[in-house]
């Protein structure tokens, strides 16, 4: 890549970065005592970028590893690389993921107390997971709307009332923002024989209604690793919304 092309690439990433700062200034605050202050001065950004790029090339990586700004964007998330000053006063970069919208997950309970879990194939780790319904929010949709929509899309049930459990931070080391967790009492009569076509297209091949004791056993036995499911379980237990386990 020529020097001109490299400069144009970096300029485009920084232009998107400045636009993001205008829209979301709270993402660029430097609170008192921040361990990694974000460098917003262009000269400081260039120094950090150049230093990281040189180290990357020396390690056999592309020089774009040092680009500052919005370095990738699609309909679901943006990948943002900030210039920062580390606690030992070194300039460098820190990368973070900014979702296009918030998300929500919902713990479904039947009248007899059973928990409904989906069997869902996830592309990222190429494996099947037992988990609760969850997903990204649509534009203008709040957390409860997302939770209700996911229940309808993934289990085929409609819900009027949700109990709010709280927020969770999926990955404070990489991802910006929190997602909302809910509990819903659903009618077993509404459950279809299997997932709808749309759910199957997303990798869901079935569901299982398990007792709360079985649910706990699955968690203890490491059959459940999904962070949303584990967080919803912890919040529901802490708030007394699930029964205590057997002695």
């Amino acid at each position: 890549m020529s020097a001109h092309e490299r400069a144009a690439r970096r300029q485009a990433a920084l232009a998107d970065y400045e636009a993001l700062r205008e829209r979301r200034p709270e993402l660029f605050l430097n609170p008192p005592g921040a361990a990694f202050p974000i460098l917003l001065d262009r000269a400081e950004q260039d120094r950090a970028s150049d230093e990281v790029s040189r180290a990357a090339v020396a390690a056999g990586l592309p020089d774009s590893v040092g680009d500052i700004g919005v370095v990738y964007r699609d309909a679901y998330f943006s990948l943002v690389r900030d210039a920062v000053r580390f606690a030992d006063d070194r300039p460098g970069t820190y990368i973070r993921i900014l979702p296009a919208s918030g998300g929500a997950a919902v713990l479904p309970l039947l009248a007899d107390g059973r928990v409904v879990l989906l069997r869902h194939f996830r592309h990222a780790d190429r494996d099947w997971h037992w988990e609760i319904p969850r997903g990204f929010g649509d534009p203008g949709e709040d957390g409860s709307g997302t939770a209700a929509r996911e229940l309808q899309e993934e289990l085929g049930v409609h819900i009027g009332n949700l109990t709010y459990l709280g927020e969770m931070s999926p990955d404070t080391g990489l991802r910006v923002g929190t997602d909302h967790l809910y509990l819903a009492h659903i009618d077993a009569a509404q459950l279809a024989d299997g997932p709808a076509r749309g759910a199957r297209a997303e990798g869901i091949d079935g569901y299982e209604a398990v007792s709360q004791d079985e649910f706990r056993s699955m968690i203890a036995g490491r059959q459940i690793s999904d962070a949303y499911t584990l967080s919803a379980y912890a919040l529901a237990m802490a708030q007394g919304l699930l029964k205590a386990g057997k002695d």
Side-chain angles (χ1 to χ4, degrees), residues 119-206:
R119 187 170 182 267
H120 201 154
F121 184 80
R122 292 294 182 178
H123 168 71
D125 65 359
R126 310 299 298 161
D127 204 357
W128 291 94
H129 294 270
W130 287 108
E131 58 186 51
I132 60 177
R134 64 178 169 95
F136 287 111
D138 285 341
E141 186 177 61
D142 63 12
S144 62
T146 301
R149 178 174 52 76
E150 292 296 331
L151 274 175
Q152 198 280 322
E153 291 177 355
E154 298 186 354
L155 282 176
V157 299
H158 297 276
I159 186 72
N161 295 315
L162 295 164
T163 299
Y164 185 58
L165 296 175
E167 295 180 345
M168 69 163 287
S169 300
D171 185 349
T172 54
L174 185 61
R175 205 194 100 164
V176 176
T178 58
D179 290 337
H180 299 280
L181 302 179
Y182 298 83
L183 181 145
H185 292 278
I186 65 174
D187 184 355
Q190 289 188 28
L191 290 172
D193 292 335
R197 180 179 298 178
R200 288 190 183 278
E202 292 182 9
I204 298 169
D205 79 342

Side-chain angles (χ1 to χ4, degrees), residues 49-136:
S49 178
D50 291 342
E51 186 165 321
V52 172
S53 290
R54 283 193 296 270
V57 171
L61 299 170
D63 73 323
S64 58
V65 168
D67 287 2
I68 306 300
V70 179
V71 296
Y72 176 81
R73 182 177 60 190
D74 64 20
Y76 300 100
F77 70 89
S78 298
L79 196 59
V80 178
R81 187 179 288 117
D82 302 287
V84 301
R85 183 180 298 108
F86 290 102
D88 60 2
D89 212 35
R90 288 180 301 115
T93 64
Y94 221 133
I95 202 157
R96 49 183 170 160
I97 294 173
L98 176 62
S101 63
V106 55
L107 179 66
L109 288 184
L110 299 177
D112 60 8
R114 286 182 297 163
V115 177
V116 181
L117 297 172
L118 300 169
R119 187 170 182 267
H120 201 154
F121 184 80
R122 292 294 182 178
H123 168 71
D125 65 359
R126 310 299 298 161
D127 204 357
W128 291 94
H129 294 270
W130 287 108
E131 58 186 51
I132 60 177
R134 64 178 169 95
F136 287 111

